[in-house]
Amino acid sequence: MISPRPTTTLWRPTGPEELDLVRARDWRAWPPRLPEQPIFYPVLNEGYAVKIARDWNVKHDGAGFVTRFEVESAFLRRYPVRQAGGETILELWVPAEELDAFNAHIVGTIEVVHEFR
C-alpha cells in the first residue's frame, strides 16, 4: 500500500472576483496573476487570513473569503516562510511564473471556510 504524501495546510484570503476564477477551475487551481501581481502569497495562519479577508477584502471588494487548501509539503520547501509583520503573520511568496507548478501540487480541492460581507 502506498502512503499519501505529506501535505501542508495553507490559507488564502481572497475577494469575489478571484474566488469566481477558482470556482471556474473546479476548485483545484489558482488563476494566473495579473501583471501588477508578481507574487501569489498563500498564508500559513488562518487568523491572519481572516484578518485580511475581513479588514481588507471587504473594504476593497465588498466581500472577503478565506480559503483553505493542501499542498504537497516537499514541494513547498522551495519557498521560504516570510514573516510579513508580527510573529504569526507568515506567508509563502510564490513567483507568478511558478503558479502553474504550485497548482499542480495542490492536493484535493480549495474550500471556502469563512465569508465576510
Side-chain angles (χ1 to χ4, degrees), residues 13-32:
T14 186
E17 289 182 25
E18 185 176 56
L19 193 65
D20 285 345
L21 295 172
V22 171
R23 184 180 295 111
R25 289 167 174 73
D26 294 324
W27 302 100
R28 296 193 176 277
W30 293 99

Side-chain angles (χ1 to χ4, degrees), residues 11-23 25 29-43 52 56-57 61 67 69 79 92-103 106 110:
W11 287 266
R12 169 95 176 144
T14 186
E17 289 182 25
E18 185 176 56
L19 193 65
D20 285 345
L21 295 172
V22 171
R23 184 180 295 111
R25 289 167 174 73
W30 293 99
R33 302 290 80 200
L34 299 173
E36 66 272 12
Q37 299 172 322
I39 295 174
F40 173 75
Y41 65 95
V43 303
I52 295 170
W56 194 89
N57 289 109
D61 301 325
T67 60
F69 57 104
Y79 304 108
L92 297 179
W93 291 1
V94 179
E97 62 272 12
E98 295 180 25
L99 190 54
D100 285 342
F102 180 90
N103 283 333
I106 293 175
I110 298 164

Side-chain angles (χ1 to χ4, degrees), residues 22-84:
V22 171
R23 184 180 295 111
R25 289 167 174 73
D26 294 324
W27 302 100
R28 296 193 176 277
W30 293 99
R33 302 290 80 200
L34 299 173
E36 66 272 12
Q37 299 172 322
I39 295 174
F40 173 75
Y41 65 95
V43 303
L44 282 73
N45 178 292
E46 184 178 9
Y48 176 38
V50 165
K51 180 175 176 39
I52 295 170
R54 184 190 60 223
D55 299 348
W56 194 89
N57 289 109
V58 171
K59 181 178 177 181
H60 291 89
D61 301 325
F65 305 89
V66 175
T67 60
R68 179 177 59 209
F69 57 104
E70 300 288 323
V71 180
E72 293 174 11
S73 298
F75 175 79
L76 290 179
R77 289 188 192 114
R78 68 178 62 196
Y79 304 108
V81 174
R82 309 271 184 159
Q83 190 170 353

